[in-house]
């Protein structure tokens, strides 16, 4: 396989380059032919296609194309298209194209020595380090590799900044509507504050505040309790002076008024039916009790809401019982009926006393 040949040739080539001074001159050409026996399988036309070039291009074009493709397909690169097989194909194509270009340029006498050196040098030595980037001597390739790393880091920084800007602008588009509404609220609030301040200054200029009671006296900022915040105390005092009541107090008042109204209504309904009740009146009374039970159920929901908002635990209320309220209504009805009967008896006695009063007074006069 290709990777085994490359590894063997690299190890042997390294040993050959290190200990080249110890090898006789007669054996060097033979060893060079042995170590350079690994030849790529690509044709010249296919190699140009792989490097995305056309025949007749310059050496700089070949190097630039190979550098770009190495950045794209090298396994150690940060590119998303990294592929070891593709990188091997690019490497083989690059060597084929380089050998083709050197073969075409052999006619130039000034480059014969360089061509001889390149033919004898191990081509795979260029790709054993520096991520396969650069050509030339190791020092030249090191400089090219450092520049490559700088360019890659710069590209990564630019991509990161671009992603951050895109995400920032995407989020700003969503919050732009909220910012517009908030700015409108702030403008309205500031306009109202300026208007109030202008009215106060105008009143002060007219002298409307000169005859106020308590002028020149200190304000009563603190209450009797030193543990209360002065600002909280003043705000509570202003609210109380203007008739503000907490929600739980209003609910409590509403619940008490509702239960009193229901109690009076059921007693009045019972009085209308009379005593004793007939069969139709009993049916009507049962319907009245059902409606009363429904009203009590709705009232108990208000009690639940009241218990959720009341700040004092001892002020919480219990549910009203329908049976107990009906029994209470009956007792109230009986008490009302007794009062009515007593008042009727007193009226009858008063009428009889008026009727027979002249006789008693006559008897008393006769006795005298």
């Amino acid at each position: 396989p290709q990777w085994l040949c490359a590894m063997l040739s690299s190890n042997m080539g390294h040993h050959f380059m290190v200990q080249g001074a110890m090898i006789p001159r007669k054996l060097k050409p033979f060893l060079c032919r042995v170590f350079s026996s690994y030849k790529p399988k690509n044709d010249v036309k296919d190699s140009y296609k792989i490097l995305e070039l056309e025949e007749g291009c310059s050496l700089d074009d070949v190097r630039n194309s190979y550098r770009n493709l190495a950045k794209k397909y090298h396994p150690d690169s940060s590119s998303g298209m990294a592929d070891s097989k593709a990188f091997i194909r690019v490497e083989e194509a690059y060597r084929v194209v380089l050998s083709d270009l050197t073969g075409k340029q052999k006619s130039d006498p000034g480059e014969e020595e360089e061509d001889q050196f390149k033919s004898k040098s191990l081509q795979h030595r260029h790709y054993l380090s520096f991520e396969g980037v650069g050509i030339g001597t190791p020092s030249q390739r090191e400089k090219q590799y450092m520049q490559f790393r700088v360019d890659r880091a710069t590209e990564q920084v630019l991509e990161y900044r671009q992603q951050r800007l895109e995400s920032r602008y995407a989020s700003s588009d969503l919050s732009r509507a909220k910012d517009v509404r908030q700015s409108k609220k702030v403008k309205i609030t500031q306009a109202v504050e300026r208007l109030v301040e202008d009215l106060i200054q105008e009143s002060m200029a007219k002298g409307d505040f000169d005859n106020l009671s308590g002028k020149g006296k200190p304000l009563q900022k603190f209450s009797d309790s030193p543990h209360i915040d002065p600002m909280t105390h003043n705000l509570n005092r202003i609210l109380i002076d203007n008739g503000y009541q907490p929600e739980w107090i209003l609910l409590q008042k509403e619940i008490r008024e509702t239960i009193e109204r229901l109690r009076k209504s059921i007693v009045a309904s019972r009085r209308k039916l009379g005593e004793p009740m007939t069969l139709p009146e009993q049916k009507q009374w049962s319907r009245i009790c059902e409606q009363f039970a429904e009203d009590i159920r709705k009232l108990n929901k208000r009690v639940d809401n009241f218990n959720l908002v009341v700040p004092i635990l001892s002020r919480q209320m219990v549910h009203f019982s329908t049976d107990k309220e009906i029994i209470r209504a009956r007792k109230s009805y009986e008490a009302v009926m007794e009062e009515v009967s007593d008042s009727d008896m007193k009226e009858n006695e008063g009428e009889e006393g008026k009727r027979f009063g002249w006789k008693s007074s006559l008897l008393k006069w006769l006795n005298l």
Side-chain angles (χ1 to χ4, degrees), residues 71-74 76-82:
K71 292 180 182 179
K72 185 185 297 183
Y73 296 114
H74 197 278
D76 296 334
S77 65
S78 59
S79 175
M81 301 177 64

Side-chain angles (χ1 to χ4, degrees), residues 17-67:
M17 293 295 292
V18 172
Q19 299 182 359
M22 300 175 63
I23 298 174
R25 294 182 179 179
K26 296 181 180 180
L27 294 178
K28 286 184 178 180
F30 173 74
L31 292 175
C32 290
R33 288 195 296 270
V34 170
F35 292 144
S36 62
S37 61
Y38 173 72
K39 296 181 179 180
K41 299 179 181 180
N42 296 335
D43 297 332
V44 177
K45 294 182 179 180
D46 296 335
S47 300
Y48 277 101
K49 291 181 180 179
I50 292 173
L51 294 178
E52 300 177 357
L53 297 172
E54 295 180 359
E55 295 184 8
C57 60
S58 63
L59 185 60
D60 294 334
D61 295 336
V62 175
R63 291 172 180 174
N64 293 332
S65 178
Y66 170 72
R67 186 178 301 172

Side-chain angles (χ1 to χ4, degrees), residues 18 66 72 76 95 134 142 151 216 240 262-263 273 279 285 305 335 350 359 362 364:
V18 172
Y66 170 72
K72 185 185 297 183
D76 296 334
R95 284 183 286 184
E142 184 178 3
D151 296 340
I240 292 171
L262 292 176
R263 288 170 180 173
L273 296 176
L279 184 61
W285 172 248
N305 296 332
K359 293 182 180 180
L362 180 60
K364 288 181 182 179

